């Protein structure tokens, strides 16, 4: 039987490093993940979904920490649950605390390096501490750290053996704005280096800042995958919301209401918002409408291109 060609499938990438093959996981009668079939490659992919969507279960199954009830997961062609050698290439940051409070950050990260059989654990520990900006606090007990600092220590421990694949489950929880910005910059840099970064989050703005590709989960299943723009474009049956900034909102609104593709118009003091069934047709009509209304247009922008908007469509398609 010939394998299906997935080269143009939004759920799959051309050169996969992490693969979920019809992966399901259930706990008794509860189905946490159901038939997830997708792959990930170099760069940053956001694993998006509300709490309870199945993101943590999927990441743990990909990391080999949970055995799939059906299907399989591989990292660089290996099943980490059966071939521990895969862990030499994998870093994992769990959502839970997963640190030993009595240890200093330095000892915790060096212990992780030793577990990964890093040749020069001391030098690797120093590099990891520097990477997450924890050098000056390296010899403090983790129990004295804030949640955001413990998150950075977990990231450092996951990076200490220089893995090709990094699985991050809500890594920005508890971080302050500066810590969050630095971690996002780090993840983007790692992705640009050609590493595979999968970042789980229920915070839409975080995913939007980090990820070039999004895999959205709802109720244990993959609801959609692709770039943000591709996800929104795929929802061709959903009206688009377009904002037009203009000095004559009311005359322009009256003129554009004549288009059969315009479903509604909301007029403000310095612009209008149009809900349209055909954004392309509206775009072609705006210039002519502005001339006829004697209006000067200063900006035209989509109001529903954010992940927040896309996710609302996915969760509530009607």
């Amino acid at each position: 039987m010939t394998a299906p060609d997935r080269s143009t499938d939004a759920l799959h990438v051309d050169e996969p490093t992490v693969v979920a093959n019809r992966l399901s996981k259930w706990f008794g009668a509860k189905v946490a993940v159901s038939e997830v079939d997708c792959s990930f490659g170099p760069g940053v992919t956001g694993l998006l979904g509300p709490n309870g969507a199945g993101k943590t279960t999927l990441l743990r199954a990909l990391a080999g920490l949970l055995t799939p009830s059906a299907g399989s997961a591989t990292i660089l062609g290996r099943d980490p649950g059966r071939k521990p050698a895969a862990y030499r290439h994998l870093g994992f940051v769990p959502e839970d605390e997963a640190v030993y409070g009595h240890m200093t950050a330095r000892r915790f990260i060096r212990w992780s390096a030793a577990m990964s059989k890093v040749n020069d654990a001391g030098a690797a520990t120093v590099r990891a501490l520097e990477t997450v900006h924890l050098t000056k606090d390296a010899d403090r007990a983790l129990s004295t750290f804030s949640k955001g600092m413990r998150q950075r220590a977990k990231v450092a421990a996951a990076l200490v053996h220089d893995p090709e694949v990094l699985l991050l489950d809500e890594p920005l929880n508890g971080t302050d704005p500066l810590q969050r910005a630095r971690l996002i910059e780090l993840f983007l840099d790692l992705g640009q280096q050609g590493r595979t970064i999968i970042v789980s989050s229920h915070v839409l703005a975080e995913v939007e800042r980090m990820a070039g590709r999004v895999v959205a989960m709802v109720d244990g299943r993959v609801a959609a995958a692709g770039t943000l723009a591709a996800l929104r474009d795929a929802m061709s049956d959903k009206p688009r919301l377009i904002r037009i900034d203009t000095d004559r909102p009311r005359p322009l609104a009256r003129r554009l209401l004549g288009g059969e593709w315009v479903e509604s118009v909301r007029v403000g003091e310095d612009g209008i918002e149009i809900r349209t069934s055909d954004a392309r047709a509206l775009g072609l009509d705006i210039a002519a409408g502005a001339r006829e209304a004697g209006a000067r247009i200063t900006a035209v922008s989509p109001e529903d291109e954010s992940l927040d908007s896309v996710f609302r469509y996915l969760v509530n398609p009607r």
Side-chain angles (χ1 to χ4, degrees):
M1 181 176 179
T2 304
D5 179 9
R6 291 171 167 170
S7 60
T8 59
D9 183 350
L11 290 171
H12 297 87
V13 298
D14 291 335
E15 299 180 1
T17 51
V18 179
V19 177
N21 181 25
R22 294 183 172 85
L23 190 154
S24 296
K25 181 63 182 179
W26 51 82
F27 302 92
K30 176 179 173 56
V31 179
V33 171
S34 179
E35 296 184 346
V36 170
D37 196 274
C38 64
S39 61
F40 306 83
V44 182
T45 299
L47 187 60
L48 174 68
N51 290 326
K55 305 185 302 297
T56 292
T57 301
L58 176 59
L59 286 180
R60 288 183 175 274
L62 292 175
L65 301 178
L66 290 175
T67 302
S69 303
S72 62
T74 58
I75 302 288
L76 300 172
R78 301 181 180 94
D79 178 348
R82 297 183 178 183
K83 297 182 179 180
Y87 289 109
R88 297 176 186 170
H89 310 281
L90 170 65
F92 179 63
V93 175
E95 181 180 15
D96 52 31
E97 286 296 287
V99 296
Y100 297 101
H102 66 280
M103 285 187 175
T104 65
R106 188 186 306 278
R107 183 181 172 195
F108 173 65
I109 296 164
R110 184 161 185 152
W111 172 75
S112 181
M115 292 289 289
S116 300
K117 299 181 179 179
V118 175
N119 287 332
D120 190 342
T125 298
V126 170
R127 286 194 298 271
L129 286 164
E130 291 174 346
T131 298
V132 299
H133 304 279
L134 275 180
T135 303
K136 71 175 184 177
D137 296 298
D139 297 307
R140 282 175 51 190
L142 290 168
S143 60
T144 69
F145 278 19
S146 67
K147 182 174 178 60
M149 292 174 71
R150 290 194 298 273
Q151 290 289 82
R152 286 189 283 154
K154 286 158 55 180
V155 171
L159 288 173
V160 72
H161 60 295
D162 199 26
E164 297 170 56
V165 176
L166 196 60
L167 307 181
L168 308 166
D169 193 2
E170 302 280 0
L172 304 181
N173 276 358
T175 56
D176 63 36
L178 178 59
Q179 293 171 341
R180 191 174 300 118
R182 284 176 170 173
L183 285 175
I184 288 173
E185 183 180 358
L186 170 62
F187 302 151
L188 287 171
D189 183 55
L190 291 170
Q192 290 169 1
Q193 293 173 21
R195 302 171 200 255
T196 299
I197 315 296
I198 305 176
V199 186
S200 161
S201 179
H202 67 282
V203 181
L204 305 174
E206 291 178 356
V207 176
E208 198 162 24
R209 290 174 64 187
M210 284 186 283
R213 177 175 179 248
V214 174
V215 173
M217 293 188 69
V218 177
D219 295 330
R221 294 178 178 271
V222 173
T227 64
L228 174 58
L231 291 187
R232 189 58 186 84
D233 287 342
M235 301 171 195
S236 57
D237 60 330
K238 299 296 182 183
R240 306 294 292 273
L241 185 63
I242 308 296
R243 176 174 174 80
I244 304 172
D245 294 339
T246 177
D247 60 344
R248 303 195 70 201
R250 291 188 181 280
L252 182 60
R254 285 195 295 268
R255 164 57 181 78
L256 293 179
L257 266 172
E260 61 182 17
W261 46 82
V262 174
E263 297 191 359
S264 65
V265 175
R266 187 175 72 84
V267 180
E269 291 184 2
D270 54 359
I272 58 178
E273 288 184 353
I274 297 181
R275 192 166 294 280
T276 175
S277 59
D278 189 337
R280 183 179 295 275
L282 173 64
L284 294 173
D285 193 38
I286 288 175
R291 285 196 301 271
E292 294 174 21
R296 182 171 65 89
I297 293 175
T298 56
V300 178
S301 58
E303 291 292 285
D304 55 357
E305 288 297 316
S306 72
L307 272 176
D308 182 61
S309 173
V310 171
F311 196 66
R312 284 199 304 270
Y313 282 123
L314 294 174
V315 174
N316 186 20
R318 296 183 182 180

PDB file of all heavy atoms in Angstrom, residues 21-52:
ATOM      1  N   ASN A  21       1.468   9.871  14.813  1.00  0.00           N
ATOM      2  CA  ASN A  21       0.799   9.059  13.802  1.00  0.00           C
ATOM      3  C   ASN A  21      -0.478   8.462  14.383  1.00  0.00           C
ATOM      4  O   ASN A  21      -0.433   7.492  15.138  1.00  0.00           O
ATOM      5  CB  ASN A  21       1.745   7.952  13.317  1.00  0.00           C
ATOM      6  CG  ASN A  21       1.114   7.091  12.233  1.00  0.00           C
ATOM      7  OD1 ASN A  21       0.221   7.533  11.512  1.00  0.00           O
ATOM      8  ND2 ASN A  21       1.566   5.854  12.122  1.00  0.00           N
ATOM      9  N   ARG A  22      -1.599   9.116  14.073  1.00  0.00           N
ATOM     10  CA  ARG A  22      -2.910   8.678  14.562  1.00  0.00           C
ATOM     11  C   ARG A  22      -2.852   8.379  16.071  1.00  0.00           C
ATOM     12  O   ARG A  22      -3.344   7.354  16.540  1.00  0.00           O
ATOM     13  CB  ARG A  22      -3.408   7.461  13.793  1.00  0.00           C
ATOM     14  CG  ARG A  22      -3.709   7.780  12.327  1.00  0.00           C
ATOM     15  CD  ARG A  22      -4.267   6.567  11.589  1.00  0.00           C
ATOM     16  NE  ARG A  22      -4.711   6.960  10.268  1.00  0.00           N
ATOM     17  CZ  ARG A  22      -3.908   7.041   9.194  1.00  0.00           C
ATOM     18  NH1 ARG A  22      -2.615   6.772   9.323  1.00  0.00           N
ATOM     19  NH2 ARG A  22      -4.386   7.400   8.029  1.00  0.00           N
ATOM     20  N   LEU A  23      -2.258   9.288  16.794  1.00  0.00           N
ATOM     21  CA  LEU A  23      -1.990   9.096  18.215  1.00  0.00           C
ATOM     22  C   LEU A  23      -3.232   9.380  19.056  1.00  0.00           C
ATOM     23  O   LEU A  23      -3.858  10.435  18.923  1.00  0.00           O
ATOM     24  CB  LEU A  23      -0.835  10.009  18.643  1.00  0.00           C
ATOM     25  CG  LEU A  23      -0.233   9.790  20.035  1.00  0.00           C
ATOM     26  CD1 LEU A  23       1.218  10.275  20.036  1.00  0.00           C
ATOM     27  CD2 LEU A  23      -1.003  10.540  21.103  1.00  0.00           C
ATOM     28  N   SER A  24      -3.559   8.438  19.918  1.00  0.00           N
ATOM     29  CA  SER A  24      -4.657   8.614  20.873  1.00  0.00           C
ATOM     30  C   SER A  24      -4.181   8.221  22.258  1.00  0.00           C
ATOM     31  O   SER A  24      -3.311   7.357  22.415  1.00  0.00           O
ATOM     32  CB  SER A  24      -5.868   7.742  20.499  1.00  0.00           C
ATOM     33  OG  SER A  24      -6.419   8.120  19.256  1.00  0.00           O
ATOM     34  N   LYS A  25      -4.739   8.869  23.255  1.00  0.00           N
ATOM     35  CA  LYS A  25      -4.434   8.518  24.637  1.00  0.00           C
ATOM     36  C   LYS A  25      -5.688   8.684  25.475  1.00  0.00           C
ATOM     37  O   LYS A  25      -6.318   9.741  25.462  1.00  0.00           O
ATOM     38  CB  LYS A  25      -3.315   9.401  25.198  1.00  0.00           C
ATOM     39  CG  LYS A  25      -2.930   9.065  26.635  1.00  0.00           C
ATOM     40  CD  LYS A  25      -2.361   7.665  26.775  1.00  0.00           C
ATOM     41  CE  LYS A  25      -2.033   7.313  28.216  1.00  0.00           C
ATOM     42  NZ  LYS A  25      -1.498   5.941  28.342  1.00  0.00           N
ATOM     43  N   TRP A  26      -6.047   7.605  26.152  1.00  0.00           N
ATOM     44  CA  TRP A  26      -7.185   7.695  27.045  1.00  0.00           C
ATOM     45  C   TRP A  26      -6.823   7.165  28.420  1.00  0.00           C
ATOM     46  O   TRP A  26      -5.918   6.355  28.578  1.00  0.00           O
ATOM     47  CB  TRP A  26      -8.401   6.964  26.473  1.00  0.00           C
ATOM     48  CG  TRP A  26      -8.179   5.554  26.028  1.00  0.00           C
ATOM     49  CD1 TRP A  26      -8.152   4.432  26.792  1.00  0.00           C
ATOM     50  CD2 TRP A  26      -7.958   5.111  24.678  1.00  0.00           C
ATOM     51  NE1 TRP A  26      -7.934   3.316  26.026  1.00  0.00           N
ATOM     52  CE2 TRP A  26      -7.822   3.696  24.726  1.00  0.00           C
ATOM     53  CE3 TRP A  26      -7.874   5.768  23.444  1.00  0.00           C
ATOM     54  CZ2 TRP A  26      -7.592   2.944  23.573  1.00  0.00           C
ATOM     55  CZ3 TRP A  26      -7.656   5.011  22.304  1.00  0.00           C
ATOM     56  CH2 TRP A  26      -7.514   3.619  22.365  1.00  0.00           C
ATOM     57  N   PHE A  27      -7.529   7.692  29.413  1.00  0.00           N
ATOM     58  CA  PHE A  27      -7.341   7.294  30.804  1.00  0.00           C
ATOM     59  C   PHE A  27      -8.680   6.756  31.288  1.00  0.00           C
ATOM     60  O   PHE A  27      -9.585   7.543  31.598  1.00  0.00           O
ATOM     61  CB  PHE A  27      -6.891   8.482  31.651  1.00  0.00           C
ATOM     62  CG  PHE A  27      -5.622   9.131  31.178  1.00  0.00           C
ATOM     63  CD1 PHE A  27      -5.656  10.204  30.298  1.00  0.00           C
ATOM     64  CD2 PHE A  27      -4.378   8.660  31.596  1.00  0.00           C
ATOM     65  CE1 PHE A  27      -4.490  10.815  29.854  1.00  0.00           C
ATOM     66  CE2 PHE A  27      -3.203   9.255  31.151  1.00  0.00           C
ATOM     67  CZ  PHE A  27      -3.262  10.329  30.288  1.00  0.00           C
ATOM     68  N   GLY A  28      -8.812   5.438  31.310  1.00  0.00           N
ATOM     69  CA  GLY A  28     -10.110   4.859  31.618  1.00  0.00           C
ATOM     70  C   GLY A  28     -11.107   5.241  30.532  1.00  0.00           C
ATOM     71  O   GLY A  28     -10.867   5.042  29.342  1.00  0.00           O
ATOM     72  N   ALA A  29     -12.204   5.845  30.948  1.00  0.00           N
ATOM     73  CA  ALA A  29     -13.227   6.250  29.982  1.00  0.00           C
ATOM     74  C   ALA A  29     -12.959   7.625  29.386  1.00  0.00           C
ATOM     75  O   ALA A  29     -13.630   8.039  28.438  1.00  0.00           O
ATOM     76  CB  ALA A  29     -14.601   6.238  30.655  1.00  0.00           C
ATOM     77  N   LYS A  30     -11.976   8.341  29.926  1.00  0.00           N
ATOM     78  CA  LYS A  30     -11.707   9.696  29.457  1.00  0.00           C
ATOM     79  C   LYS A  30     -10.713   9.679  28.287  1.00  0.00           C
ATOM     80  O   LYS A  30      -9.595   9.161  28.419  1.00  0.00           O
ATOM     81  CB  LYS A  30     -11.138  10.553  30.582  1.00  0.00           C
ATOM     82  CG  LYS A  30     -10.737  11.951  30.144  1.00  0.00           C
ATOM     83  CD  LYS A  30     -10.195  12.753  31.301  1.00  0.00           C
ATOM     84  CE  LYS A  30      -9.640  14.093  30.851  1.00  0.00           C
ATOM     85  NZ  LYS A  30     -10.601  14.904  30.107  1.00  0.00           N
ATOM     86  N   VAL A  31     -11.121  10.230  27.172  1.00  0.00           N
ATOM     87  CA  VAL A  31     -10.248  10.348  26.003  1.00  0.00           C
ATOM     88  C   VAL A  31      -9.585  11.721  26.050  1.00  0.00           C
ATOM     89  O   VAL A  31     -10.242  12.748  25.904  1.00  0.00           O
ATOM     90  CB  VAL A  31     -11.035  10.188  24.689  1.00  0.00           C
ATOM     91  CG1 VAL A  31     -10.101  10.340  23.493  1.00  0.00           C
ATOM     92  CG2 VAL A  31     -11.726   8.825  24.655  1.00  0.00           C
ATOM     93  N   ALA A  32      -8.276  11.734  26.278  1.00  0.00           N
ATOM     94  CA  ALA A  32      -7.552  13.004  26.386  1.00  0.00           C
ATOM     95  C   ALA A  32      -7.054  13.492  25.043  1.00  0.00           C
ATOM     96  O   ALA A  32      -7.041  14.700  24.770  1.00  0.00           O
ATOM     97  CB  ALA A  32      -6.375  12.857  27.353  1.00  0.00           C
ATOM     98  N   VAL A  33      -6.612  12.562  24.192  1.00  0.00           N
ATOM     99  CA  VAL A  33      -6.144  12.883  22.845  1.00  0.00           C
ATOM    100  C   VAL A  33      -6.729  11.847  21.895  1.00  0.00           C
ATOM    101  O   VAL A  33      -6.694  10.649  22.184  1.00  0.00           O
ATOM    102  CB  VAL A  33      -4.596  12.862  22.758  1.00  0.00           C
ATOM    103  CG1 VAL A  33      -4.130  12.971  21.318  1.00  0.00           C
ATOM    104  CG2 VAL A  33      -4.012  13.999  23.586  1.00  0.00           C
ATOM    105  N   SER A  34      -7.271  12.308  20.791  1.00  0.00           N
ATOM    106  CA  SER A  34      -7.964  11.400  19.887  1.00  0.00           C
ATOM    107  C   SER A  34      -7.446  11.513  18.457  1.00  0.00           C
ATOM    108  O   SER A  34      -7.620  12.551  17.797  1.00  0.00           O
ATOM    109  CB  SER A  34      -9.469  11.695  19.913  1.00  0.00           C
ATOM    110  OG  SER A  34     -10.169  10.850  19.024  1.00  0.00           O
ATOM    111  N   GLU A  35      -6.763  10.483  17.984  1.00  0.00           N
ATOM    112  CA  GLU A  35      -6.353  10.334  16.588  1.00  0.00           C
ATOM    113  C   GLU A  35      -5.640  11.573  16.045  1.00  0.00           C
ATOM    114  O   GLU A  35      -5.961  12.077  14.975  1.00  0.00           O
ATOM    115  CB  GLU A  35      -7.553   9.989  15.711  1.00  0.00           C
ATOM    116  CG  GLU A  35      -8.176   8.644  16.072  1.00  0.00           C
ATOM    117  CD  GLU A  35      -9.297   8.253  15.135  1.00  0.00           C
ATOM    118  OE1 GLU A  35      -9.784   9.116  14.374  1.00  0.00           O
ATOM    119  OE2 GLU A  35      -9.702   7.084  15.173  1.00  0.00           O
ATOM    120  N   VAL A  36      -4.671  12.063  16.794  1.00  0.00           N
ATOM    121  CA  VAL A  36      -3.878  13.203  16.328  1.00  0.00           C
ATOM    122  C   VAL A  36      -2.872  12.694  15.301  1.00  0.00           C
ATOM    123  O   VAL A  36      -2.072  11.804  15.575  1.00  0.00           O
ATOM    124  CB  VAL A  36      -3.154  13.888  17.502  1.00  0.00           C
ATOM    125  CG1 VAL A  36      -2.146  14.910  16.986  1.00  0.00           C
ATOM    126  CG2 VAL A  36      -4.175  14.562  18.410  1.00  0.00           C
ATOM    127  N   ASP A  37      -2.925  13.247  14.114  1.00  0.00           N
ATOM    128  CA  ASP A  37      -2.062  12.829  13.020  1.00  0.00           C
ATOM    129  C   ASP A  37      -1.440  14.085  12.409  1.00  0.00           C
ATOM    130  O   ASP A  37      -2.054  14.766  11.596  1.00  0.00           O
ATOM    131  CB  ASP A  37      -2.875  12.076  11.960  1.00  0.00           C
ATOM    132  CG  ASP A  37      -1.985  11.285  11.013  1.00  0.00           C
ATOM    133  OD1 ASP A  37      -1.506  11.856  10.018  1.00  0.00           O
ATOM    134  OD2 ASP A  37      -1.747  10.102  11.280  1.00  0.00           O
ATOM    135  N   CYS A  38      -0.230  14.407  12.854  1.00  0.00           N
ATOM    136  CA  CYS A  38       0.426  15.609  12.358  1.00  0.00           C
ATOM    137  C   CYS A  38       1.927  15.492  12.574  1.00  0.00           C
ATOM    138  O   CYS A  38       2.386  14.582  13.273  1.00  0.00           O
ATOM    139  CB  CYS A  38      -0.118  16.870  13.033  1.00  0.00           C
ATOM    140  SG  CYS A  38       0.182  16.944  14.810  1.00  0.00           S
ATOM    141  N   SER A  39       2.665  16.388  11.979  1.00  0.00           N
ATOM    142  CA  SER A  39       4.119  16.367  12.151  1.00  0.00           C
ATOM    143  C   SER A  39       4.637  17.781  12.334  1.00  0.00           C
ATOM    144  O   SER A  39       3.957  18.762  12.032  1.00  0.00           O
ATOM    145  CB  SER A  39       4.801  15.692  10.957  1.00  0.00           C
ATOM    146  OG  SER A  39       4.540  16.393   9.754  1.00  0.00           O
ATOM    147  N   PHE A  40       5.867  17.848  12.833  1.00  0.00           N
ATOM    148  CA  PHE A  40       6.509  19.119  13.137  1.00  0.00           C
ATOM    149  C   PHE A  40       7.921  19.095  12.576  1.00  0.00           C
ATOM    150  O   PHE A  40       8.560  18.043  12.512  1.00  0.00           O
ATOM    151  CB  PHE A  40       6.558  19.351  14.641  1.00  0.00           C
ATOM    152  CG  PHE A  40       5.226  19.251  15.329  1.00  0.00           C
ATOM    153  CD1 PHE A  40       4.712  18.006  15.709  1.00  0.00           C
ATOM    154  CD2 PHE A  40       4.471  20.383  15.592  1.00  0.00           C
ATOM    155  CE1 PHE A  40       3.488  17.903  16.345  1.00  0.00           C
ATOM    156  CE2 PHE A  40       3.248  20.290  16.228  1.00  0.00           C
ATOM    157  CZ  PHE A  40       2.753  19.053  16.603  1.00  0.00           C
ATOM    158  N   GLY A  41       8.419  20.280  12.193  1.00  0.00           N
ATOM    159  CA  GLY A  41       9.770  20.372  11.671  1.00  0.00           C
ATOM    160  C   GLY A  41      10.504  21.548  12.268  1.00  0.00           C
ATOM    161  O   GLY A  41      10.027  22.189  13.223  1.00  0.00           O
ATOM    162  N   PRO A  42      11.681  21.869  11.747  1.00  0.00           N
ATOM    163  CA  PRO A  42      12.475  22.979  12.271  1.00  0.00           C
ATOM    164  C   PRO A  42      11.697  24.289  12.315  1.00  0.00           C
ATOM    165  O   PRO A  42      10.853  24.558  11.463  1.00  0.00           O
ATOM    166  CB  PRO A  42      13.638  23.054  11.281  1.00  0.00           C
ATOM    167  CG  PRO A  42      13.778  21.659  10.764  1.00  0.00           C
ATOM    168  CD  PRO A  42      12.374  21.149  10.655  1.00  0.00           C
ATOM    169  N   GLY A  43      12.011  25.094  13.338  1.00  0.00           N
ATOM    170  CA  GLY A  43      11.299  26.342  13.553  1.00  0.00           C
ATOM    171  C   GLY A  43      10.403  26.227  14.765  1.00  0.00           C
ATOM    172  O   GLY A  43      10.384  25.195  15.450  1.00  0.00           O
ATOM    173  N   VAL A  44       9.658  27.279  15.047  1.00  0.00           N
ATOM    174  CA  VAL A  44       8.777  27.304  16.213  1.00  0.00           C
ATOM    175  C   VAL A  44       7.340  27.041  15.789  1.00  0.00           C
ATOM    176  O   VAL A  44       6.796  27.753  14.943  1.00  0.00           O
ATOM    177  CB  VAL A  44       8.856  28.657  16.944  1.00  0.00           C
ATOM    178  CG1 VAL A  44       7.959  28.639  18.190  1.00  0.00           C
ATOM    179  CG2 VAL A  44      10.294  28.979  17.338  1.00  0.00           C
ATOM    180  N   THR A  45       6.747  26.023  16.358  1.00  0.00           N
ATOM    181  CA  THR A  45       5.331  25.719  16.142  1.00  0.00           C
ATOM    182  C   THR A  45       4.589  25.927  17.448  1.00  0.00           C
ATOM    183  O   THR A  45       5.004  25.411  18.491  1.00  0.00           O
ATOM    184  CB  THR A  45       5.121  24.278  15.667  1.00  0.00           C
ATOM    185  OG1 THR A  45       5.804  24.081  14.427  1.00  0.00           O
ATOM    186  CG2 THR A  45       3.639  23.989  15.450  1.00  0.00           C
ATOM    187  N   GLY A  46       3.508  26.663  17.392  1.00  0.00           N
ATOM    188  CA  GLY A  46       2.685  26.867  18.570  1.00  0.00           C
ATOM    189  C   GLY A  46       1.617  25.795  18.667  1.00  0.00           C
ATOM    190  O   GLY A  46       0.892  25.549  17.697  1.00  0.00           O
ATOM    191  N   LEU A  47       1.540  25.137  19.813  1.00  0.00           N
ATOM    192  CA  LEU A  47       0.475  24.175  20.082  1.00  0.00           C
ATOM    193  C   LEU A  47      -0.568  24.914  20.916  1.00  0.00           C
ATOM    194  O   LEU A  47      -0.369  25.172  22.102  1.00  0.00           O
ATOM    195  CB  LEU A  47       1.033  22.963  20.826  1.00  0.00           C
ATOM    196  CG  LEU A  47       0.078  21.791  21.049  1.00  0.00           C
ATOM    197  CD1 LEU A  47      -0.422  21.223  19.726  1.00  0.00           C
ATOM    198  CD2 LEU A  47       0.766  20.695  21.860  1.00  0.00           C
ATOM    199  N   LEU A  48      -1.644  25.269  20.256  1.00  0.00           N
ATOM    200  CA  LEU A  48      -2.610  26.204  20.820  1.00  0.00           C
ATOM    201  C   LEU A  48      -3.878  25.483  21.251  1.00  0.00           C
ATOM    202  O   LEU A  48      -4.345  24.577  20.569  1.00  0.00           O
ATOM    203  CB  LEU A  48      -2.950  27.256  19.764  1.00  0.00           C
ATOM    204  CG  LEU A  48      -4.053  28.255  20.072  1.00  0.00           C
ATOM    205  CD1 LEU A  48      -3.619  29.191  21.184  1.00  0.00           C
ATOM    206  CD2 LEU A  48      -4.408  29.042  18.820  1.00  0.00           C
ATOM    207  N   GLY A  49      -4.428  25.904  22.373  1.00  0.00           N
ATOM    208  CA  GLY A  49      -5.697  25.340  22.801  1.00  0.00           C
ATOM    209  C   GLY A  49      -6.024  25.769  24.214  1.00  0.00           C
ATOM    210  O   GLY A  49      -5.133  26.105  24.988  1.00  0.00           O
ATOM    211  N   PRO A  50      -7.298  25.744  24.574  1.00  0.00           N
ATOM    212  CA  PRO A  50      -7.682  26.111  25.946  1.00  0.00           C
ATOM    213  C   PRO A  50      -7.232  25.040  26.923  1.00  0.00           C
ATOM    214  O   PRO A  50      -6.836  23.933  26.529  1.00  0.00           O
ATOM    215  CB  PRO A  50      -9.212  26.188  25.861  1.00  0.00           C
ATOM    216  CG  PRO A  50      -9.568  25.221  24.776  1.00  0.00           C
ATOM    217  CD  PRO A  50      -8.462  25.321  23.767  1.00  0.00           C
ATOM    218  N   ASN A  51      -7.287  25.346  28.198  1.00  0.00           N
ATOM    219  CA  ASN A  51      -6.979  24.341  29.212  1.00  0.00           C
ATOM    220  C   ASN A  51      -7.906  23.147  29.025  1.00  0.00           C
ATOM    221  O   ASN A  51      -9.112  23.299  28.834  1.00  0.00           O
ATOM    222  CB  ASN A  51      -7.144  24.924  30.613  1.00  0.00           C
ATOM    223  CG  ASN A  51      -6.074  25.950  30.930  1.00  0.00           C
ATOM    224  OD1 ASN A  51      -4.935  25.838  30.499  1.00  0.00           O
ATOM    225  ND2 ASN A  51      -6.441  26.977  31.696  1.00  0.00           N
ATOM    226  N   GLY A  52      -7.327  21.945  29.066  1.00  0.00           N
ATOM    227  CA  GLY A  52      -8.126  20.740  28.877  1.00  0.00           C
ATOM    228  C   GLY A  52      -8.256  20.290  27.442  1.00  0.00           C
ATOM    229  O   GLY A  52      -8.951  19.308  27.156  1.00  0.00           O
TER     230      GLY A  52
END
